[in-house]
Amino acid sequence: GTRMRSAEVARADSGIGQTPARKWRNRAAETLSSLQAWEAHRPCTDCGERDLPVETDAQNCNQRRADLCEKCCKRRTERKESVLEFVNTEASYGEDLRIIKEEFYLPMQAAGLLSQEQLLGVFSNIQELIDLNENFLEILQEEIDRAFDQSDEDLMTVCIGEIFLEFVNMLPAFQTYCLQQSSSVNMLNTLEKEKELLRIFLNVSQNDNTALRRMNLRSFLMAPLQRVTKYPLLLSRIIKATTEYHPDHGSLREAKSRIESHLEHINMKTKQEGNTWTLRSFRQDSKKKREVINIEMRETALKTVGWLREETRFVMEGPLQLAQPPDGQWVKKGSKTLKFQNMQVLLLVNMKRVSESSLESAEPGPVKDAVLVLIRDKNNGKFHLLREPLRLSNCVVSTDPDCDDTFELIEIRREAFVFRDSDRARTHHWFRQIRRYSRELGSWKKRRNALPNIMISTPHSRP
């Protein structure tokens, strides 16, 4: 009787009689067959289209790629190849840099063929480029290894664009080297004519040292120039094979734009210095010119604040109009009485690095400092600062509903500024960003939403 009772209890609990149970089984069978039909006609995981190959070609698309259409299957192969090409060519370039140091610089230094000053003249900042290449390559290699360890055979988790943007401080180092290239080559030519021992050493190296592949020192010294001009092409190939839904797509595009702008900037500087060579020609469009101006402004701003490049984030940059109210009463009178002048403004944030060794250093830590750098429009081809940067930790930022096309920034115990953009939405965007950092860093606030002390003495309100 006990068994009977437990069966009844079980049936009472499930609430399914025999007829519903049969119906449910039929429904399950229908569901299964429709799932199988969907499975046979399921969308491609990369592009969402439903033109999967009926029979999966085992050579090209193995089981791992059975849920991809042929087009995406091919695209993944192309992406993997272009990612590996990027990393492998970075490794070959590193090898050439190592040869410059091990086979030329150090032997020439040890033999006293050139003085320290002459070595610096010929080899420029080659050590800086070696250090950067080693760090960059280490992170790239780690990412490739991690992908393979996680059975990501297509390297879809490798984000070259993101890693490249972490290493943008390579670009100024390349710039230093490229701009010194002409004088390096001239110096080498002169020294070779003057010093017979140097001439013998260079000849013997080229002919007898197998590591050099019968190439001379001049060819090796071109390696950084060739590498930096190759980046846009290599990044283009990866972009072409990366779907726009991929998390790295935006970073890849930004990386390509940043490197192209830097190459344009290097070309412009070489022309200014009267050199005839250029790295490579780019389309002269206004966006590129704008970018070049931004790079110059960033360099000016960085020099002014003296922060490490890799700890600096340029949050916003661009033209703003600025006015300094004579009596601090701008809100009551509205902005009509104010005299505005055009400025270039950069919002810079200094981030602490979480760790130095691994890619986790790509994760910026807490904000250490934030400043607004105010630059006058170009005069005689040079940028000039309006004043020293405004530290946002000492500023209060406010807006007024009656004058919503402007916002005010008061530097505590110093002066007040009124800003506006020609576009109202952009004015608001600037205001929100500046307010965010002034609140985060503000020495005047102790509570999270505390209001600034209204009794702020600015020069014009002192008795």
Side-chain angles (χ1 to χ4, degrees), residues 279-295:
L279 280 174
R280 86 177 239 208
S281 57
F282 284 98
R283 287 191 327 279
Q284 283 285 349
D285 58 17
S286 55
K287 185 170 178 281
K288 279 282 168 285
K289 282 210 177 83
R290 166 87 245 145
E291 266 291 327
V292 169
I293 290 170
N294 283 354
I295 289 170

Side-chain angles (χ1 to χ4, degrees), residues 421-432:
D421 192 291
S422 48
D423 173 58
R424 188 170 294 198
R426 225 177 129 66
T427 304
H428 289 182
H429 187 48
W430 272 103
F431 165 66
R432 282 194 301 273

Side-chain angles (χ1 to χ4, degrees), residues 438-452:
S438 80
R439 280 184 174 173
E440 204 167 314
L441 296 161
S443 48
W444 45 264
K445 74 149 176 88
K446 294 285 172 274
R447 297 187 307 282
R448 198 71 196 118
N449 294 317
L451 287 167

Side-chain angles (χ1 to χ4, degrees), residues 254-407:
E254 193 191 335
K256 182 172 177 266
S257 164
R258 293 282 277 277
I259 182 80
E260 286 183 341
S261 303
H262 256 279
L263 292 176
E264 191 63 68
H265 184 58
I266 293 168
N267 282 343
M268 188 184 73
K269 287 257 194 202
T270 3
K271 277 195 201 99
Q272 283 173 359
E273 289 171 20
N275 292 325
T276 49
W277 65 272
T278 55
L279 280 174
R280 86 177 239 208
S281 57
F282 284 98
R283 287 191 327 279
Q284 283 285 349
D285 58 17
S286 55
K287 185 170 178 281
K288 279 282 168 285
K289 282 210 177 83
R290 166 87 245 145
E291 266 291 327
V292 169
I293 290 170
N294 283 354
I295 289 170
E296 281 188 81
M297 287 199 306
R298 283 176 206 161
E299 285 186 3
T300 306
L302 263 182
K303 259 193 212 119
T304 309
V305 293
W307 295 345
L308 287 175
R309 191 177 297 272
E310 56 272 27
E311 290 186 358
T312 306
R313 294 282 180 277
F314 293 91
V315 180
M316 281 191 83
E317 54 197 25
L320 267 185
Q321 294 183 324
L322 169 145
Q324 289 184 269
D327 55 2
Q329 299 301 309
W330 70 278
V331 173
K332 290 189 180 70
K333 295 175 184 170
S335 53
K336 289 181 182 63
T337 58
L338 293 171
K339 287 192 179 74
F340 282 92
Q341 54 177 322
N342 292 323
M343 278 285 133
Q344 294 291 341
V345 180
L346 293 94
L347 170 55
L348 276 67
V349 174
N350 193 357
M351 314 294 268
K352 285 195 181 98
R353 312 284 279 186
V354 175
S355 104
E356 284 306 318
S357 56
S358 65
L359 193 66
E360 268 66 65
S361 61
E363 293 298 314
V367 175
K368 273 199 287 196
D369 209 349
V371 297
L372 272 192
V373 179
L374 310 177
I375 297 178
R376 294 180 195 277
D377 274 345
K378 258 189 166 177
N379 184 17
N380 302 330
K382 283 214 165 59
F383 284 116
H384 295 285
L385 295 178
L386 173 75
R387 58 187 310 291
E388 76 268 23
L390 289 160
R391 293 220 119 67
L392 293 188
S393 54
N394 299 333
C395 294
V396 178
V397 194
S398 57
T399 186
D400 188 281
D402 298 336
C403 304
D404 72 341
D405 60 339
T406 53
F407 62 91

Side-chain angles (χ1 to χ4, degrees), residues 42-282:
R42 70 195 178 287
C44 163
T45 51
D46 276 14
C47 67
E49 289 181 18
R50 295 176 179 268
D51 59 346
L52 292 185
V54 183
E55 284 178 32
T56 313
D57 178 350
Q59 267 184 320
N60 296 338
C61 296
N62 56 20
Q63 197 49 48
R64 174 171 49 82
R65 293 166 162 202
D67 50 359
L68 290 175
C69 69
E70 259 170 288
K71 197 170 65 185
C72 290
C73 197
K74 195 170 161 217
R75 181 191 255 179
R76 279 198 181 195
T77 305
E78 282 167 9
R79 185 178 187 279
K80 179 182 179 176
E81 282 168 3
S82 39
V83 165
L84 288 175
E85 183 189 15
F86 188 99
V87 180
N88 294 338
T89 51
E90 187 67 30
S92 313
Y93 158 64
E95 192 54 36
D96 284 350
L97 293 181
R98 195 195 60 73
I99 287 173
I100 294 173
K101 184 182 177 181
E102 305 285 330
E103 310 294 337
F104 290 108
Y105 182 93
L106 292 176
M108 283 158 77
Q109 186 183 42
L113 290 178
L114 298 183
S115 70
Q116 203 52 43
E117 201 177 324
Q118 289 167 332
L119 284 167
L120 183 65
V122 172
F123 293 97
S124 186
N125 62 330
I126 200 81
Q127 187 57 52
E128 186 185 10
L129 292 176
I130 289 172
D131 296 342
L132 285 162
N133 165 264
E134 281 176 2
N135 295 338
F136 189 37
L137 197 55
E138 188 187 350
I139 299 291
L140 289 169
Q141 205 55 64
E142 273 175 21
E143 284 299 285
I144 300 278
D145 294 345
R146 186 179 303 160
F148 283 136
D149 288 347
Q150 293 171 347
S151 306
D152 170 19
E153 296 296 321
D154 289 326
L155 307 181
M156 292 301 278
T157 54
V158 177
C159 293
I160 297 280
E162 219 169 90
I163 302 169
F164 193 96
L165 289 177
E166 256 312 294
F167 280 86
V168 281
N169 56 332
M170 289 191 301
L171 302 181
F174 274 114
Q175 178 172 312
T176 304
Y177 187 89
C178 293
L179 293 178
Q180 287 182 16
Q181 181 63 17
S182 293
S183 57
S184 296
V185 171
N186 292 341
M187 188 176 217
L188 184 60
N189 293 342
T190 309
L191 290 167
E192 242 188 311
K193 283 190 193 110
E194 289 171 4
K195 294 176 180 276
E196 195 189 353
L197 280 178
L198 175 67
R199 200 162 58 245
I200 293 168
F201 167 75
L202 291 176
N203 276 332
V204 169
S205 297
Q206 187 180 347
N207 295 321
D208 299 351
N209 185 341
T210 51
L212 304 190
R213 315 188 292 277
R214 300 190 77 79
M215 278 161 55
N216 61 18
L217 174 57
R218 274 175 205 75
S219 310
F220 281 101
L221 290 175
M222 287 301 288
L225 279 76
Q226 288 159 349
R227 184 62 189 161
V228 77
T229 51
K230 193 98 191 279
Y231 283 133
L233 181 69
L234 292 167
L235 289 167
S236 288
R237 281 182 197 159
I238 303 173
I239 292 167
K240 199 173 166 205
T242 303
T243 161
E244 61 194 79
Y245 309 115
H246 192 282
D248 198 36
H249 195 266
S251 299
L252 282 165
R253 284 190 172 284
E254 193 191 335
K256 182 172 177 266
S257 164
R258 293 282 277 277
I259 182 80
E260 286 183 341
S261 303
H262 256 279
L263 292 176
E264 191 63 68
H265 184 58
I266 293 168
N267 282 343
M268 188 184 73
K269 287 257 194 202
T270 3
K271 277 195 201 99
Q272 283 173 359
E273 289 171 20
N275 292 325
T276 49
W277 65 272
T278 55
L279 280 174
R280 86 177 239 208
S281 57
F282 284 98

